[in-house]
């Protein structure tokens, strides 16, 4: 049986999913929200045939399921909803096999006992959305006893994710509540007058070594859900090596500022890859645009260095561009493009001539279809090489972001 | 923009418009004219290129637009551009209701997190466009019907603080007859100013307190 997972790239990477018997609180600031973490976790597990129970008191079951659909997370019979919402509102509870209605959710004993009995039916994952509403209705002591009950019923199988909004509660109450959970993940906005970024941070986790997790920027895409956000990846290299081709082959929405096929200002695309999204910027290769290079390299956290495998005269320029973009020393992957063409150097030879060190990874790429090459358009590269280069760069970046 | 005319002559003549970037409670019993005041303010704001986020939790977005029309206040040209509606009601009766170009549909009065996230995000969008922004919460009373008062105090504290930081003006409608005096007073304490309305012998009156342009005596609206 596969492990229970968060369905969110970095959390599953750093925490190795969510083990059985563990309870995680997603503590969000009110301006950011945490509901999509719940949607994504439910979806990622039910498609793996995991049985998921959702205690829902924030929205009606159909509103919740519709919201999930907006993110492209369709549900199936592996999801059972315990509806603690409808009977405190005007809504007539829905009748469906996988929706169980709590008759009087305002009765705290009934709510606790119904949840406890339902957990006994055997689930892999429990999602509670939301605990802060229960705190508002019944108080912190009740919320703590609910977590205790969940822990006592886990029975070596259940992993739990609890959605909590951090309104202006007493910090002592929050600390006491969080002490009941095995892990707490804070979700925050980077905001002044406006929200210009969102991040999550694992502030506590008792099943991995301290220091093995860090905070991560994320964006919420609709559809798509939570994607880890990498602010900038730079694609650089000499003229005509294939930088624009690499960006247009990686990103669906790539655009180039070019003239007669040569990039004269920059290429840009949004990369959506392995649960991450990243802004990719490509530099122009011609020396007359060198004044732009420092600006384009600024704030990049990873580099794809594209070289023409058939033209070693461009290699010194490739190294010069790393220096001019001030990205020398960042995580880097060399892309040896046009590797299938006559005269292409072997990968070892290219590495040797670039003097970037033995440990720098190098990946060959080739055009998708040589018969379709248009000198005025970026050539599409075969997916295999592009994905391999990105996978390696992302594996280098995961410890950095 | 330092102050904005409400679009009601008598009020604007005496007060000179409401000072911006503050939080106000619009307080009055049923029939006191809160809706009319809020609708005129909405139109005046839109006509002055101010962005308006209208949060409705006591009626649906379509009923709200009908209500504007019935009062001959035409805002249709601004829908989706400078006017966004947050419909926090429709899912009470139609759980599968969806967003459209000018309406953000939320889950209802219990989902205050959803409401806070939506308002923060819409405010950010307007501010990034360089727009002065007003939030109109219609109404706090309907939120109080479904939540306990401490929950609403915490919510209002967050929204008022966020509005201040963002430079947004927020107006909160409340039906004073629906809640005990201690709840009304606590909510007033979270605000910068209070606009009181009343209907007496077929005539509407207002007072305006808590700002430098106070009107302490009941004055005809």
């Amino acid at each position: 049986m596969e492990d229970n997972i968060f369905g969110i790239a970095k959390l599953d990477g750093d925490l190795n999913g969510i083990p059985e018997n563990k309870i995680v609180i997603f503590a969000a600031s009110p301006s950011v929200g945490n509901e999509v973490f719940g949607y994504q976790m439910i979806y990622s597990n039910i498609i793996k045939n995991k049985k998921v129970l959702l205690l829902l008191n924030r929205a009606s079951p159909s509103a919740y399921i519709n919201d999930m659909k907006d993110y492209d997370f369709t549900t199936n019979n592996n999801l059972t909803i315990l509806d603690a919402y409808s009977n405190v509102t005007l809504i007539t509870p829905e009748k469906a096999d996988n929706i169980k209605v709590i008759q009087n959710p305002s009765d705290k004993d009934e709510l606790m006992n119904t949840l406890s009995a339902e957990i006994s039916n055997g689930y892999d994952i429990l999602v509670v959305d939301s605990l802060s509403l229960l705190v508002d209705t019944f108080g912190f002591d009740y919320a703590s006893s609910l977590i205790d009950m969940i822990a006592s019923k886990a029975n070596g199988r259940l992993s739990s994710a609890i959605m909590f909004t951090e309104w202006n509660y007493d910090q002592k109450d929050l600390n006491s509540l969080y002490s009941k959970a095995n892990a707490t993940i804070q979700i925050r906005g980077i905001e002044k007058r406006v929200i210009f970024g969102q991040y999550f941070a694992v502030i506590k986790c008792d099943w991995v070594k301290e220091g093995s997790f860090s905070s991560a920027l994320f964006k919420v895409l609709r559809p798509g859900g939570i994607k880890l956000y990498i602010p900038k990846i730079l694609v650089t290299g000499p003229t005509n090596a294939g930088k624009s081709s690499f960006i247009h082959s990686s990103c669906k929405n790539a655009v180039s500022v070019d003239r007669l096929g040569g990039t004269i200002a920059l290429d840009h695309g949004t990369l959506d890859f392995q649960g991450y999204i990243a802004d990719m910027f490509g530099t122009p290769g011609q020396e007359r645009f060198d004044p732009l290079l420092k600006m384009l390299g600024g704030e990049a956290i990873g580099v794809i260095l594209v070289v023409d495998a058939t033209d070693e005269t461009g290699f010194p320029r490739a190294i010069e561009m790393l220096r001019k973009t001030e990205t020398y020393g960042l995580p880097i992957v060399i892309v040896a493009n046009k590797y299938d063409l006559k005269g292409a150097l072997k990968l070892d030879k290219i590495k040797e001539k670039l003097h970037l060190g033995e440990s720098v990874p190098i990946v060959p790429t080739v055009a998708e279809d040589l018969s379709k090459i248009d000198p005025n358009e970026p050539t599409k590269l075969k997916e295999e090489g592009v994905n391999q280069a990105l996978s390696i760069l992302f594996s280098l970046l995961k410890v950095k972001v | 923009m330092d102050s904005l005319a409400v679009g009601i002559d008598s009020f604007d003549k005496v007060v000179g418009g409401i000072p911006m970037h503050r939080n106000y409670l619009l307080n009055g019993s049923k029939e006191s004219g809160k809706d009319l005041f809020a609708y005129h303010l909405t139109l005046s704001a839109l006509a002055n290129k101010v962005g308006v986020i209208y949060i409705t939790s006591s009626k649906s977005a379509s009923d709200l637009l009908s209500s504007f029309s019935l009062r001959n206040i035409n805002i249709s040209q601004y829908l989706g551009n400078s006017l966004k509606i947050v419909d926090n009601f429709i899912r009470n009766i139609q759980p599968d209701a969806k967003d459209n170009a000018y309406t953000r549909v939320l889950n209802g009065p219990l989902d205050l997190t959803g409401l806070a996230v939506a308002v923060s995000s819409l405010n950010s969008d307007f501010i990034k466009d360089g727009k002065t922004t007003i939030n109109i919460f219609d109404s706090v009373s309907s939120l109080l019907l479904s939540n306990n008062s401490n929950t609403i105090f915490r919510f209002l504290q967050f929204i008022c603080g966020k509005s201040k930081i963002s430079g947004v003006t927020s107006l909160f409608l409340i039906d004073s007859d629906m809640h005990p005096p201690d709840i009304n007073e606590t909510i007033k304490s979270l605000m910068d100013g209070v606009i009181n309305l009343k209907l007496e012998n077929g005539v509407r009156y207002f007072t305006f307190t808590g700002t430098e342009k106070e009107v302490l005596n009941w004055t005809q609206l």
Side-chain angles (χ1 to χ4, degrees), chain B residues 146-181:
Chain B
S146 306
N147 295 277
N148 72 43
S149 51
N150 283 333
T151 304
I152 296 303
F153 298 154
R154 273 194 288 267
F155 170 75
L156 292 176
Q157 197 175 28
F158 171 78
I159 293 288
C160 288
K162 189 97 179 63
S163 295
K164 282 273 196 188
I165 292 167
S166 307
V168 169
T169 306
S170 288
L171 181 76
F172 301 87
L173 279 64
I174 191 165
D175 192 328
S176 48
D177 290 347
M178 284 175 64
H179 318 291

Coordinates of all heavy atoms in Angstrom, one line a residue, chain B residues 146-181:
Chain B
S146 N -25.6 34.1 11.9 CA -25.1 32.8 11.7 C -23.9 32.5 12.6 O -23.5 31.3 12.6 CB -24.8 32.5 10.3 OG -25.9 32.8 9.5
N147 N -23.3 33.5 13.2 CA -22.1 33.2 13.9 C -22.2 33.8 15.3 O -23.0 34.8 15.5 CB -20.9 33.9 13.2 CG -20.6 33.4 11.9 OD1 -19.9 32.3 11.8 ND2 -21.1 34.0 10.8
N148 N -21.4 33.3 16.2 CA -21.5 34.0 17.5 C -20.7 35.3 17.5 O -19.9 35.6 16.6 CB -21.0 33.1 18.7 CG -19.5 32.8 18.7 OD1 -18.7 33.8 18.5 ND2 -19.1 31.6 18.9
S149 N -21.1 36.2 18.4 CA -20.6 37.6 18.3 C -19.1 37.7 18.4 O -18.5 38.5 17.7 CB -21.2 38.4 19.4 OG -21.1 37.8 20.7
N150 N -18.4 36.9 19.2 CA -16.9 36.9 19.3 C -16.3 36.6 18.0 O -15.3 37.2 17.7 CB -16.4 36.0 20.4 CG -16.7 36.5 21.8 OD1 -16.7 37.8 22.0 ND2 -16.8 35.7 22.8
T151 N -16.9 35.7 17.3 CA -16.3 35.3 16.0 C -16.4 36.5 15.0 O -15.4 36.8 14.3 CB -17.2 34.2 15.4 OG1 -17.1 33.1 16.3 CG2 -16.6 33.7 14.0
I152 N -17.5 37.2 15.1 CA -17.7 38.4 14.2 C -16.8 39.5 14.6 O -16.2 40.2 13.8 CB -19.2 38.8 14.2 CG1 -20.0 37.7 13.6 CG2 -19.3 40.1 13.4 CD1 -19.6 37.3 12.2
F153 N -16.6 39.7 16.0 CA -15.7 40.8 16.4 C -14.3 40.5 15.9 O -13.6 41.4 15.4 CB -15.6 40.8 18.0 CG -16.9 41.2 18.6 CD1 -17.2 40.7 19.9 CD2 -17.9 41.9 18.0 CE1 -18.4 41.0 20.5 CE2 -19.1 42.2 18.6 CZ -19.3 41.7 19.9
R154 N -13.8 39.2 15.9 CA -12.5 38.9 15.4 C -12.4 39.1 13.9 O -11.4 39.7 13.4 CB -12.2 37.4 15.7 CG -11.5 37.2 17.1 CD -11.0 35.8 17.2 NE -12.0 34.8 17.3 CZ -12.5 34.3 18.5 NH1 -12.0 34.7 19.6 NH2 -13.4 33.4 18.5
F155 N -13.5 38.8 13.2 CA -13.5 39.0 11.8 C -13.4 40.5 11.5 O -12.6 40.9 10.6 CB -14.8 38.4 11.2 CG -15.0 38.7 9.8 CD1 -14.3 38.1 8.8 CD2 -16.0 39.7 9.4 CE1 -14.5 38.5 7.4 CE2 -16.2 40.0 8.1 CZ -15.5 39.4 7.1
L156 N -14.2 41.3 12.1 CA -14.2 42.7 11.9 C -12.9 43.4 12.2 O -12.4 44.2 11.5 CB -15.4 43.4 12.6 CG -16.8 43.0 12.2 CD1 -17.8 43.7 13.0 CD2 -17.0 43.5 10.7
Q157 N -12.3 42.9 13.3 CA -11.0 43.4 13.7 C -10.0 43.1 12.6 O -9.2 44.0 12.3 CB -10.6 42.7 15.0 CG -9.5 43.3 15.8 CD -9.2 42.6 17.1 OE1 -9.4 41.4 17.2 NE2 -8.7 43.3 18.1
F158 N -10.0 42.0 12.1 CA -9.1 41.6 11.0 C -9.4 42.5 9.8 O -8.4 43.1 9.2 CB -9.2 40.2 10.6 CG -8.4 39.8 9.3 CD1 -7.1 39.6 9.4 CD2 -9.1 39.7 8.1 CE1 -6.3 39.4 8.2 CE2 -8.4 39.5 7.0 CZ -7.0 39.3 7.0
I159 N -10.6 42.6 9.3 CA -11.0 43.4 8.1 C -10.6 44.9 8.3 O -10.1 45.5 7.4 CB -12.4 43.2 7.7 CG1 -12.7 41.7 7.3 CG2 -12.9 44.2 6.7 CD1 -12.1 41.3 6.0
C160 N -11.0 45.4 9.5 CA -10.7 46.8 9.7 C -9.2 47.1 9.7 O -8.8 48.1 9.1 CB -11.3 47.3 11.1 SG -13.1 47.3 11.0
G161 N -8.4 46.2 10.4 CA -7.0 46.4 10.4 C -6.4 46.3 9.0 O -5.6 47.1 8.6
K162 N -6.9 45.3 8.2 CA -6.4 45.1 6.9 C -6.8 46.3 6.0 O -5.9 46.8 5.2 CB -7.1 43.9 6.3 CG -6.5 43.4 5.0 CD -5.5 42.3 5.3 CE -5.0 41.7 4.0 NZ -4.2 42.6 3.2
S163 N -8.0 46.9 6.2 CA -8.4 48.0 5.4 C -7.5 49.2 5.7 O -7.1 49.9 4.8 CB -9.8 48.4 5.7 OG -10.7 47.4 5.3
K164 N -7.2 49.4 6.9 CA -6.3 50.5 7.3 C -4.9 50.4 6.6 O -4.4 51.4 6.1 CB -6.1 50.5 8.8 CG -7.2 51.0 9.6 CD -7.1 52.5 9.8 CE -8.0 53.0 10.9 NZ -8.0 54.5 10.9
I165 N -4.4 49.2 6.7 CA -3.0 49.0 6.2 C -3.1 49.2 4.7 O -2.1 49.8 4.1 CB -2.5 47.6 6.5 CG1 -2.2 47.4 8.0 CG2 -1.3 47.2 5.7 CD1 -2.0 46.0 8.4
S166 N -4.1 48.8 4.0 CA -4.2 48.9 2.6 C -4.7 50.2 2.1 O -4.8 50.5 0.9 CB -5.2 47.8 2.1 OG -4.8 46.5 2.5
G167 N -5.2 51.1 3.0 CA -5.7 52.4 2.6 C -7.1 52.3 2.0 O -7.5 53.2 1.2
V168 N -7.8 51.2 2.3 CA -9.1 51.0 1.8 C -10.2 51.6 2.7 O -10.0 51.6 3.9 CB -9.4 49.5 1.6 CG1 -10.8 49.2 1.3 CG2 -8.5 49.0 0.5
T169 N -11.3 52.1 2.2 CA -12.4 52.6 3.0 C -13.4 51.5 3.1 O -13.7 50.8 2.1 CB -13.1 53.8 2.3 OG1 -12.1 54.8 2.1 CG2 -14.1 54.4 3.2
S170 N -13.8 51.2 4.3 CA -14.8 50.1 4.5 C -16.1 50.7 5.2 O -15.9 51.4 6.2 CB -14.3 48.9 5.3 OG -13.3 48.2 4.5
L171 N -17.2 50.3 4.7 CA -18.5 50.7 5.3 C -19.3 49.4 5.7 O -19.5 48.5 4.8 CB -19.3 51.5 4.3 CG -20.7 52.0 4.7 CD1 -20.5 53.2 5.6 CD2 -21.5 52.4 3.5
F172 N -19.6 49.3 6.9 CA -20.3 48.1 7.4 C -21.7 48.5 7.8 O -22.0 49.3 8.7 CB -19.6 47.6 8.7 CG -18.1 47.2 8.4 CD1 -17.1 48.2 8.6 CD2 -17.8 45.9 8.1 CE1 -15.8 47.8 8.4 CE2 -16.5 45.6 7.9 CZ -15.5 46.5 8.0
L173 N -22.7 47.8 7.1 CA -24.1 48.1 7.5 C -24.5 47.2 8.6 O -24.2 46.0 8.7 CB -25.0 47.8 6.3 CG -25.1 48.9 5.2 CD1 -23.8 49.1 4.5 CD2 -26.2 48.5 4.1
I174 N -25.3 47.8 9.6 CA -25.8 47.0 10.7 C -27.2 47.4 11.0 O -27.5 48.6 11.0 CB -24.9 47.0 11.9 CG1 -25.3 46.0 12.9 CG2 -24.8 48.4 12.5 CD1 -24.2 45.7 14.0
D175 N -28.1 46.5 11.3 CA -29.5 46.8 11.7 C -29.5 46.8 13.2 O -29.5 45.8 13.9 CB -30.4 45.7 11.2 CG -31.9 46.1 11.3 OD1 -32.2 46.9 12.3 OD2 -32.7 45.7 10.5
S176 N -29.5 48.1 13.7 CA -29.3 48.2 15.2 C -30.3 47.5 16.0 O -30.0 47.1 17.1 CB -29.2 49.7 15.5 OG -30.4 50.4 14.9
D177 N -31.5 47.4 15.5 CA -32.6 46.7 16.3 C -32.4 45.2 16.5 O -33.0 44.6 17.3 CB -34.0 46.9 15.6 CG -34.4 48.4 15.7 OD1 -33.7 49.1 16.5 OD2 -35.3 48.8 15.0
M178 N -31.6 44.7 15.7 CA -31.5 43.2 15.7 C -30.5 42.6 16.7 O -30.5 41.4 17.0 CB -31.0 42.7 14.3 CG -32.0 42.7 13.2 SD -31.4 42.3 11.6 CE -30.9 40.6 11.9
H179 N -29.7 43.5 17.4 CA -28.7 43.0 18.3 C -28.7 43.7 19.6 O -29.1 44.9 19.6 CB -27.3 43.2 17.6 CG -27.3 42.8 16.1 ND1 -27.5 41.5 15.7 CD2 -27.2 43.5 15.0 CE1 -27.5 41.5 14.4 NE2 -27.3 42.7 13.9
P180 N -28.3 43.1 20.6 CA -28.2 43.7 22.0 C -27.3 44.9 21.9 O -26.3 44.9 21.2 CB -27.7 42.6 22.9 CG -27.8 41.3 22.1 CD -27.8 41.7 20.7
P181 N -27.5 45.9 22.8 CA -26.7 47.1 22.8 C -25.2 46.8 23.0 O -24.4 47.5 22.4 CB -27.2 47.9 24.0 CG -28.6 47.4 24.2 CD -28.6 45.9 23.8

